[in-house]
Amino acid sequence: MEAPTPASALIHSSTLVVLGLYIIFKLYPVITMSTLALNMLYIVSTLTIFYSSFFAMYTGDFKKSIAYSTIGQIAYIYFMLSVYGYFEAFAYLILHAICKAAVFVIAGYIIHLCGGYTTYRHMGGLFRFIPHIALLYVILLLTLAGFPLLTGFYTKELILHRLFKFSTPTQIFVIGL
């Protein structure tokens, strides 16, 4: 896929990424019966959050940073499921799908505007040319990051509330790193 288009944004945010989550949501009553399964989900999601955050910060490619961000956001949903947060995870899944679809459409527009270049060194100064798109993109990214008074903040607060309610101090310390 060359650049994100409206069709690929919908395909990516609603089917490909969410398919694994859908299976976990459907099997969640069975998964909650196994402490081993919940612990494995907790460990794998925590490691995935760290891995994707690290690589999203240090990649020089626009599309790769969006992909690593998506991996990290989905890992948050898996993490929420590992601490018995079914409804909170579902709320965050809906928020992620809406915001990430819009991010993909804007990313496709930006890549098209930059002549197909996806590296950051070729994308400087876009705020002067498309200030309304750049502002919308920043608002979407702040929403996904959990900036106060935006929707992502409230869904991540639900995640933190569930974490502090059902986790041990060691688990909270590991996530706090």
Side-chain angles (χ1 to χ4, degrees), residues 2-169:
E2 280 302 312
T5 61
S8 69
L10 291 175
I11 290 169
H12 188 77
S13 66
S14 63
T15 56
L16 296 176
V17 173
V18 181
L19 187 61
L21 277 171
Y22 178 75
I23 293 169
I24 297 294
F25 273 108
K26 291 302 263 185
L27 295 175
Y28 193 67
V30 176
I31 292 172
T32 56
M33 292 181 203
S34 170
T35 309
L36 177 65
L38 287 174
N39 287 335
M40 289 302 296
L41 193 60
Y42 182 88
I43 291 168
V44 170
S45 63
T46 304
L47 292 174
T48 305
I49 290 169
F50 289 134
Y51 168 83
S52 63
S53 300
F54 179 78
F55 282 105
M57 285 190 304
Y58 292 109
T59 185
D61 189 68
F62 187 51
K63 286 169 49 176
K64 285 182 183 177
S65 65
I66 291 174
Y68 284 124
S69 167
T70 302
I71 292 168
Q73 299 295 323
I74 297 301
Y76 276 117
I77 296 170
Y78 281 121
F79 173 77
M80 190 72 241
L81 290 171
S82 73
V83 291
Y84 300 102
Y86 182 83
F87 296 108
E88 294 88 346
F90 191 74
Y92 195 73
L93 174 66
I94 299 299
L95 169 79
H96 174 265
I98 292 168
C99 289
K100 197 56 82 160
V103 164
F104 264 80
V105 171
I106 292 172
Y109 180 73
I110 291 172
I111 291 170
H112 177 70
L113 188 67
C114 292
Y117 289 108
T118 60
T119 56
Y120 287 127
R121 65 177 176 263
H122 293 104
M123 295 183 155
L126 288 177
F127 192 79
R128 291 177 296 176
F129 301 116
I130 49 170
H132 56 288
I133 298 293
L135 183 62
L136 178 62
Y137 189 72
V138 168
I139 290 171
L140 287 168
L141 293 181
L142 289 175
T143 300
L144 286 172
F147 193 76
L149 301 178
L150 295 174
T151 313
F153 174 76
Y154 297 109
T155 55
K156 287 195 177 184
E157 276 296 314
L158 291 172
I159 292 171
L160 289 175
H161 174 71
R162 180 64 67 162
L163 173 68
F164 288 124
K165 189 173 181 181
F166 289 104
S167 295
T168 65

